Amino acid sequence: QVQLVESGGGLVQAGGSLRLSCAASGRTFSSYAMGWFRQAPGKEREFVATINWNGANRDYTDSVKGRFTISRDNAKNTLYLQMNSLKPEDTAVYFCAASTKYSSMNSYERAYNYWGQGTQVTVSS
């Protein structure tokens, strides 16, 4: 099984930055497509960012392009989300996800079969 543990969330003022981390267990982490999703109060979970197995390909939802950067360190079995220029609209629980089925980046929830517990990000105005 794959276990994912997110960290790095917290409270930040608008315009500030946070870096989320996702520590993963798994023998073949370097082969997994990975993603970040978020769920804001009163809203459904939405795609944020994804990265392919070697980090060469990345994609983001339009609302975070230019502000967020997804990356991975396969030697450390860790996924990251650098969040800059944060807005109150970014307030949500952020989830790390892994796909053992796909190596290519993927924005669809159904592609992922392992999920972390989530970490809260709150952006104040």
Side-chain angles (χ1 to χ4, degrees):
Q1 297 186 32
V2 177
Q3 294 182 336
L4 305 171
V5 180
E6 302 98 331
S7 62
L11 175 64
V12 65
Q13 288 188 311
S17 298
L18 286 173
R19 187 183 70 169
L20 305 184
S21 297
C22 172
S25 65
R27 298 176 182 177
T28 56
F29 173 79
S30 62
S31 70
Y32 306 157
M34 300 291 293
W36 288 99
F37 293 78
R38 67 186 181 187
Q39 187 167 23
K43 295 186 177 181
E44 296 182 350
R45 188 161 58 188
E46 67 171 342
F47 164 74
V48 176
T50 184
I51 189 167
N52 80 324
W53 66 277
N54 67 358
N57 302 111
R58 308 171 186 185
D59 197 19
Y60 305 87
T61 190
D62 286 344
S63 64
V64 309
K65 287 181 178 177
R67 300 189 297 119
F68 290 11
T69 302
I70 187 172
S71 62
R72 67 193 298 162
D73 186 338
N74 287 344
K76 296 182 178 180
N77 280 14
T78 303
L79 177 74
Y80 303 97
L81 184 67
Q82 178 66 47
M83 305 185 295
N84 298 327
S85 301
L86 283 162
K87 304 175 180 180
E89 305 93 273
D90 296 317
T91 295
V93 176
Y94 283 71
F95 298 91
C96 170
S99 175
T100 63
K101 300 179 291 185
Y102 300 98
S103 294
S104 299
M105 60 183 183
N106 202 305
S107 63
Y108 296 101
E109 287 190 37
R110 62 178 176 269
Y112 297 91
N113 51 336
Y114 291 94
W115 296 81
Q117 84 289 345
T119 185
Q120 177 70 48
V121 172
T122 302
V123 184
S124 65
S125 59

